[in-house]
Amino acid sequence: MTSDDKSLRGKLLRKQFYAIFMEPPEPFDDPIAAFGDLLEDHLRFLADLEMRGILFCSGPFRDGQQKWKGDGMAIIRAGDIGAAEEIAFTEPFHKAGIRRNRVLPWQLNEGGFALRVRIMDGSFEVE
Protein backbone atom coordinates (compact mmCIF):
# COMPACT_ATOMS: atom_id res chain seq x y z
CA MET A 1 0.00 0.00 0.00
CA THR A 2 1.40 3.34 -1.01
CA SER A 3 1.20 6.57 0.94
CA ASP A 4 -1.16 7.86 -1.78
CA ASP A 5 -3.56 5.00 -0.98
CA LYS A 6 -3.46 5.94 2.70
CA SER A 7 -4.05 9.62 1.98
CA LEU A 8 -7.07 8.79 -0.22
CA ARG A 9 -8.59 6.61 2.51
CA GLY A 10 -8.17 9.49 4.92
CA LYS A 11 -10.35 11.65 2.67
CA LEU A 12 -13.35 9.28 2.75
CA LEU A 13 -16.40 10.93 4.31
CA ARG A 14 -17.59 7.85 6.26
CA LYS A 15 -21.06 9.32 6.80
CA GLN A 16 -23.50 6.64 8.00
CA PHE A 17 -26.88 6.33 6.30
CA TYR A 18 -29.38 3.48 5.84
CA ALA A 19 -30.74 2.33 2.48
CA ILE A 20 -34.34 1.16 2.38
CA PHE A 21 -35.05 -1.09 -0.59
CA MET A 22 -38.81 -1.06 -1.31
CA GLU A 23 -39.94 -3.98 -3.44
CA PRO A 24 -43.40 -5.32 -4.24
CA PRO A 25 -43.90 -8.97 -3.24
CA GLU A 26 -44.96 -9.61 -6.86
CA PRO A 27 -44.61 -7.37 -9.94
CA PHE A 28 -47.59 -5.14 -10.66
CA ASP A 29 -49.21 -4.68 -14.06
CA ASP A 30 -49.96 -1.10 -13.03
CA PRO A 31 -48.13 -0.04 -9.83
CA ILE A 32 -49.86 3.35 -9.61
CA ALA A 33 -53.28 1.67 -9.67
CA ALA A 34 -52.12 -0.95 -7.12
CA PHE A 35 -50.89 1.76 -4.77
CA GLY A 36 -54.22 3.57 -5.05
CA ASP A 37 -55.05 5.98 -2.26
CA LEU A 38 -51.95 4.90 -0.35
CA LEU A 39 -49.76 6.80 -2.82
CA GLU A 40 -50.72 10.10 -1.16
CA ASP A 41 -49.98 8.59 2.29
CA HIS A 42 -46.61 7.36 1.02
CA LEU A 43 -45.72 10.79 -0.37
CA ARG A 44 -46.81 12.51 2.87
CA PHE A 45 -44.69 10.01 4.83
CA LEU A 46 -41.62 10.87 2.72
CA ALA A 47 -42.34 14.62 2.89
CA ASP A 48 -42.50 14.38 6.69
CA LEU A 49 -39.16 12.52 6.81
CA GLU A 50 -37.67 15.17 4.54
CA MET A 51 -38.95 18.06 6.66
CA ARG A 52 -37.52 16.43 9.81
CA GLY A 53 -34.10 16.01 8.18
CA ILE A 54 -34.30 12.19 8.10
CA LEU A 55 -34.70 11.60 4.36
CA PHE A 56 -31.48 12.06 2.37
CA CYS A 57 -32.91 10.98 -0.99
CA SER A 58 -35.59 8.74 -2.43
CA GLY A 59 -37.04 7.59 -5.73
CA PRO A 60 -38.20 4.73 -7.93
CA PHE A 61 -36.00 2.29 -9.85
CA ARG A 62 -37.05 3.64 -13.20
CA ASP A 63 -35.27 4.72 -16.37
CA GLY A 64 -38.19 5.63 -18.60
CA GLN A 65 -37.27 2.91 -21.09
CA GLN A 66 -38.64 -0.09 -19.21
CA LYS A 67 -41.94 -0.72 -17.50
CA TRP A 68 -41.73 0.31 -13.84
CA LYS A 69 -42.24 -2.59 -11.44
CA GLY A 70 -43.31 -0.52 -8.42
CA ASP A 71 -39.95 -0.71 -6.64
CA GLY A 72 -37.80 2.07 -5.22
CA MET A 73 -35.22 3.08 -2.67
CA ALA A 74 -34.81 5.69 0.05
CA ILE A 75 -31.67 6.62 1.93
CA ILE A 76 -32.25 7.91 5.42
CA ARG A 77 -30.40 9.21 8.44
CA ALA A 78 -30.94 7.19 11.63
CA GLY A 79 -29.09 6.51 14.86
CA ASP A 80 -28.76 2.78 14.16
CA ILE A 81 -30.23 0.01 12.05
CA GLY A 82 -33.05 -0.59 14.54
CA ALA A 83 -34.20 3.02 14.24
CA ALA A 84 -33.91 2.79 10.45
CA GLU A 85 -36.04 -0.39 10.40
CA GLU A 86 -38.65 1.26 12.58
CA ILE A 87 -38.95 4.02 9.99
CA ALA A 88 -38.95 1.59 7.05
CA PHE A 89 -41.57 -0.68 8.56
CA THR A 90 -43.99 2.20 9.26
CA GLU A 91 -43.96 3.33 5.61
CA PRO A 92 -47.58 3.05 4.33
CA PHE A 93 -46.94 0.64 1.42
CA HIS A 94 -44.98 -1.72 3.68
CA LYS A 95 -47.65 -1.58 6.39
CA ALA A 96 -50.33 -2.42 3.81
CA GLY A 97 -48.29 -5.37 2.50
CA ILE A 98 -47.96 -4.06 -1.06
CA ARG A 99 -44.22 -3.52 -0.66
CA ARG A 100 -41.58 -5.27 1.39
CA ASN A 101 -39.02 -2.88 2.81
CA ARG A 102 -35.51 -4.10 3.52
CA VAL A 103 -32.88 -2.00 5.31
CA LEU A 104 -29.12 -2.12 4.83
CA PRO A 105 -26.50 0.16 6.39
CA TRP A 106 -24.86 2.36 3.78
CA GLN A 107 -21.81 4.56 4.23
CA LEU A 108 -21.33 7.62 2.03
CA ASN A 109 -17.63 7.87 1.26
CA GLU A 110 -17.19 9.61 -2.07
CA GLY A 111 -19.06 11.27 -4.90
CA GLY A 112 -20.36 14.70 -5.69
CA PHE A 113 -23.23 16.70 -7.02
CA ALA A 114 -23.99 20.20 -8.22
CA LEU A 115 -27.07 22.19 -7.32
CA ARG A 116 -28.22 25.16 -9.38
CA VAL A 117 -31.03 27.31 -7.99
CA ARG A 118 -32.72 30.05 -9.99
CA ILE A 119 -34.39 32.50 -7.66
CA MET A 120 -36.53 34.38 -10.17
CA ASP A 121 -38.33 31.39 -11.62
CA GLY A 122 -38.12 29.14 -8.54
CA SER A 123 -36.44 26.34 -10.45
CA PHE A 124 -33.54 24.10 -9.56
CA GLU A 125 -31.32 21.46 -11.16
CA VAL A 126 -29.39 18.65 -9.53
CA GLU A 127 -26.45 17.24 -11.50
Side-chain angles (χ1 to χ4, degrees):
M1 183 177 317
T2 69
S3 62
D4 285 343
D5 293 337
K6 290 178 186 176
S7 67
L8 286 176
R9 283 191 319 199
K11 293 179 181 181
L12 298 177
L13 184 59
R14 295 182 177 93
K15 177 73 176 162
Q16 186 65 56
F17 291 93
Y18 295 88
I20 304 172
F21 294 92
M22 300 178 251
E23 302 157 334
E26 298 177 12
F28 295 118
D29 287 332
D30 183 357
I32 297 298
F35 293 156
D37 294 337
L38 287 176
L39 180 57
E40 288 298 317
D41 293 340
H42 168 75
L43 295 174
R44 276 193 292 275
F45 178 84
L46 293 174
D48 177 64
L49 292 179
E50 181 180 293
M51 292 302 295
R52 293 190 292 142
I54 295 170
L55 183 63
F56 178 66
C57 58
S58 179
F61 290 120
R62 181 180 220 165
D63 70 1
Q65 303 299 315
Q66 299 173 341
K67 184 177 176 186
W68 181 49
K69 300 173 189 170
D71 51 353
M73 181 178 80
I75 298 177
I76 63 169
R77 299 168 181 90
D80 58 37
I81 196 160
E85 288 175 337
E86 185 175 325
I87 292 165
F89 299 158
T90 59
E91 185 271 322
F93 293 154
H94 179 86
K95 282 175 48 176
I98 58 176
R99 270 190 177 164
R100 292 186 186 136
N101 291 350
R102 179 172 51 98
V103 179
L104 290 174
W106 179 70
Q107 191 177 73
L108 175 59
N109 282 337
E110 58 276 316
F113 68 94
L115 177 63
R116 180 182 174 115
V117 178
R118 292 183 188 89
I119 307 278
M120 291 294 289
D121 68 6
S123 68
F124 68 92
E125 294 175 27
V126 178
E127 297 175 9

